[in-house]
Amino acid sequence: MSSNGCSSITPNDKEVLKQIFSNGLVNDDELDATANIENQVQDDVVENENEVQAKALEVQAIHEAEKGDSTTALVLCSQAITLAPNRASAYNNRAQVLRLKGDIEGAMSDLSKAIDLSHERGPVACQAFTQRGLIRIRNDEKELAREDLQKASDLGSNFAKQVLAAMNPYAALCNQMLGEIMQKLQKGEA
């Protein structure tokens, strides 16, 4: 633990955070890191001074989460929500931090709020549906997970499409059979 109470973050942890916050929506090879973060805090709210300040707090929160300081990230996201309570992205980003901290119930509440505020459209809704779907898989709510992931897929999430494909029992059977064949080939059994 470092002096600020945060453990060091590994490159693998950074990749996991990137996937949590971007859900495969943005290819970092195509966009620089700043553009990626800006994409994560977009929504349909017309920006006044509070929204501009809230957006800046969200960007700062994402940076803190990437550094491993989820406590500061949570405080910043909550401040963004206080400033602009109708910003869907603030709830979506806070949900990611809550999820990292193990508060699944709080994350689910914020994801549902983000979906409602986004009117189930745009990149924030896509991210929120994906994250809520993943939590529902974890909670063994497969049908609800499929619904959320399908909505995310319809909104353009390739990651959600991959998870949906993996949830398909026929695809799982094919993957299992393919894995067995590959193991036999590697062992020289044909």
Side-chain angles (χ1 to χ4, degrees):
M1 297 286 274
S2 65
S3 61
N4 67 3
C6 300
S7 59
S8 62
I9 189 164
T10 67
N12 185 51
D13 293 337
K14 287 181 182 180
E15 183 62 27
V16 169
L17 282 170
K18 182 180 86 172
Q19 286 301 313
I20 288 171
F21 284 107
S22 72
N23 297 318
L25 292 174
V26 178
N27 182 340
D28 283 335
D29 294 335
E30 296 172 9
L31 297 174
D32 66 17
T34 304
N36 186 16
I37 291 170
E38 289 295 322
N39 191 40
Q40 295 166 37
V41 295
Q42 290 179 356
D43 55 15
D44 292 335
V45 176
V46 176
E47 291 189 348
N48 62 31
E49 185 58 32
N50 283 352
E51 280 92 19
V52 170
Q53 289 176 10
K55 188 174 185 176
L57 287 169
E58 286 180 71
V59 170
Q60 187 179 354
I62 292 168
H63 286 299
E64 293 301 320
E66 288 173 343
K67 291 191 303 190
D69 189 353
S70 59
T71 301
T72 300
L74 184 60
V75 168
L76 293 168
C77 285
S78 295
Q79 288 174 349
I81 289 169
T82 299
L83 274 172
N86 293 320
R87 280 186 62 79
S89 64
Y91 289 94
N92 183 64
N93 287 321
R94 186 171 73 176
Q96 308 326 312
V97 176
L98 289 169
R99 186 173 171 212
L100 288 171
K101 291 179 79 56
D103 182 356
I104 303 304
E105 188 176 313
M108 287 293 283
S109 176
D110 275 2
L111 290 168
S112 294
K113 183 73 171 179
I115 289 167
D116 289 343
L117 288 172
S118 67
H119 307 289
E120 299 188 10
R121 308 186 314 265
V124 173
C126 184
Q127 291 173 349
F129 276 125
T130 301
Q131 291 304 311
R132 195 170 74 175
L134 293 173
I135 291 172
R136 286 179 163 165
I137 288 171
R138 176 190 171 275
N139 292 343
D140 203 32
E141 300 170 335
K142 301 236 186 294
E143 193 53 43
L144 292 172
R146 274 189 193 90
E147 290 173 18
D148 280 347
L149 292 167
Q150 184 60 57
K151 288 176 182 176
S153 176
D154 293 344
L155 290 169
S157 173
N158 290 327
F159 180 77
K161 289 176 188 171
Q162 292 171 358
V163 174
L164 277 171
M167 290 177 73
N168 179 328
Y170 296 112
L173 180 60
C174 288
N175 284 338
Q176 179 185 355
M177 290 170 46
L178 182 59
E180 290 171 5
I181 291 169
M182 293 302 289
Q183 283 179 351
K184 286 181 181 181
L185 287 172
Q186 287 175 344
K187 291 178 182 178
E189 304 169 14

Short mmCIF file of all heavy atoms in Angstrom, two decimals, residues 177-190:
data_model
loop_
_atom_site.label_atom_id
_atom_site.label_comp_id
_atom_site.label_asym_id
_atom_site.label_seq_id
_atom_site.Cartn_x
_atom_site.Cartn_y
_atom_site.Cartn_z
N MET A 177 -16.17 -28.22 -28.04
CA MET A 177 -15.74 -29.23 -29.01
C MET A 177 -14.46 -28.80 -29.71
O MET A 177 -13.53 -29.60 -29.88
CB MET A 177 -16.86 -29.50 -30.02
CG MET A 177 -18.04 -30.22 -29.40
SD MET A 177 -19.51 -30.33 -30.47
CE MET A 177 -18.86 -30.84 -32.01
N LEU A 178 -14.39 -27.54 -30.10
CA LEU A 178 -13.20 -27.02 -30.77
C LEU A 178 -11.99 -27.11 -29.83
O LEU A 178 -10.89 -27.49 -30.25
CB LEU A 178 -13.42 -25.58 -31.23
CG LEU A 178 -12.28 -24.92 -31.98
CD1 LEU A 178 -11.94 -25.71 -33.25
CD2 LEU A 178 -12.63 -23.48 -32.32
N GLY A 179 -12.19 -26.79 -28.56
CA GLY A 179 -11.12 -26.88 -27.58
C GLY A 179 -10.60 -28.30 -27.44
O GLY A 179 -9.39 -28.53 -27.36
N GLU A 180 -11.51 -29.25 -27.41
CA GLU A 180 -11.12 -30.66 -27.31
C GLU A 180 -10.33 -31.09 -28.54
O GLU A 180 -9.32 -31.80 -28.42
CB GLU A 180 -12.35 -31.54 -27.11
CG GLU A 180 -13.00 -31.37 -25.75
CD GLU A 180 -14.34 -32.08 -25.64
OE1 GLU A 180 -14.77 -32.78 -26.58
OE2 GLU A 180 -14.99 -31.90 -24.57
N ILE A 181 -10.78 -30.68 -29.71
CA ILE A 181 -10.07 -31.03 -30.95
C ILE A 181 -8.67 -30.43 -30.95
O ILE A 181 -7.69 -31.10 -31.29
CB ILE A 181 -10.88 -30.57 -32.18
CG1 ILE A 181 -12.15 -31.42 -32.32
CG2 ILE A 181 -10.03 -30.63 -33.44
CD1 ILE A 181 -13.14 -30.88 -33.34
N MET A 182 -8.56 -29.16 -30.52
CA MET A 182 -7.25 -28.51 -30.49
C MET A 182 -6.31 -29.21 -29.51
O MET A 182 -5.13 -29.37 -29.80
CB MET A 182 -7.40 -27.02 -30.11
CG MET A 182 -8.12 -26.19 -31.16
SD MET A 182 -7.31 -26.22 -32.76
CE MET A 182 -5.86 -25.28 -32.41
N GLN A 183 -6.84 -29.64 -28.36
CA GLN A 183 -6.01 -30.35 -27.40
C GLN A 183 -5.51 -31.67 -27.98
O GLN A 183 -4.35 -32.03 -27.81
CB GLN A 183 -6.79 -30.64 -26.11
CG GLN A 183 -6.94 -29.42 -25.23
CD GLN A 183 -7.75 -29.72 -23.96
OE1 GLN A 183 -8.33 -30.80 -23.81
NE2 GLN A 183 -7.78 -28.76 -23.05
N LYS A 184 -6.38 -32.39 -28.69
CA LYS A 184 -5.99 -33.65 -29.31
C LYS A 184 -4.93 -33.42 -30.38
O LYS A 184 -3.97 -34.18 -30.50
CB LYS A 184 -7.21 -34.37 -29.91
CG LYS A 184 -8.10 -34.99 -28.87
CD LYS A 184 -9.27 -35.69 -29.52
CE LYS A 184 -10.17 -36.30 -28.44
NZ LYS A 184 -11.30 -37.00 -29.05
N LEU A 185 -5.08 -32.36 -31.16
CA LEU A 185 -4.10 -32.05 -32.20
C LEU A 185 -2.75 -31.70 -31.58
O LEU A 185 -1.71 -32.11 -32.10
CB LEU A 185 -4.58 -30.90 -33.09
CG LEU A 185 -5.71 -31.23 -34.07
CD1 LEU A 185 -6.23 -29.95 -34.73
CD2 LEU A 185 -5.24 -32.23 -35.10
N GLN A 186 -2.76 -30.97 -30.48
CA GLN A 186 -1.52 -30.60 -29.82
C GLN A 186 -0.83 -31.83 -29.24
O GLN A 186 0.40 -31.88 -29.17
CB GLN A 186 -1.78 -29.58 -28.70
CG GLN A 186 -2.12 -28.21 -29.25
CD GLN A 186 -2.49 -27.23 -28.15
OE1 GLN A 186 -2.78 -27.60 -27.01
NE2 GLN A 186 -2.49 -25.94 -28.49
N LYS A 187 -1.59 -32.82 -28.81
CA LYS A 187 -1.02 -34.03 -28.23
C LYS A 187 -0.66 -35.06 -29.31
O LYS A 187 -0.14 -36.11 -29.01
CB LYS A 187 -2.00 -34.67 -27.26
CG LYS A 187 -2.21 -33.85 -26.00
CD LYS A 187 -3.22 -34.51 -25.09
CE LYS A 187 -3.47 -33.68 -23.86
NZ LYS A 187 -4.48 -34.29 -23.00
N GLY A 188 -0.99 -34.73 -30.56
CA GLY A 188 -0.69 -35.65 -31.65
C GLY A 188 -1.75 -36.69 -31.87
O GLY A 188 -1.59 -37.61 -32.66
N GLU A 189 -2.87 -36.55 -31.16
CA GLU A 189 -4.00 -37.47 -31.37
C GLU A 189 -4.90 -36.85 -32.43
O GLU A 189 -5.29 -35.71 -32.33
CB GLU A 189 -4.79 -37.63 -30.08
CG GLU A 189 -3.98 -38.10 -28.89
CD GLU A 189 -4.75 -37.98 -27.59
OE1 GLU A 189 -5.98 -37.79 -27.62
OE2 GLU A 189 -4.11 -38.05 -26.53
N ALA A 190 -5.24 -37.58 -33.44
CA ALA A 190 -6.08 -36.99 -34.47
C ALA A 190 -7.42 -37.63 -34.54
O ALA A 190 -7.71 -38.69 -34.27
CB ALA A 190 -5.41 -37.05 -35.82
#
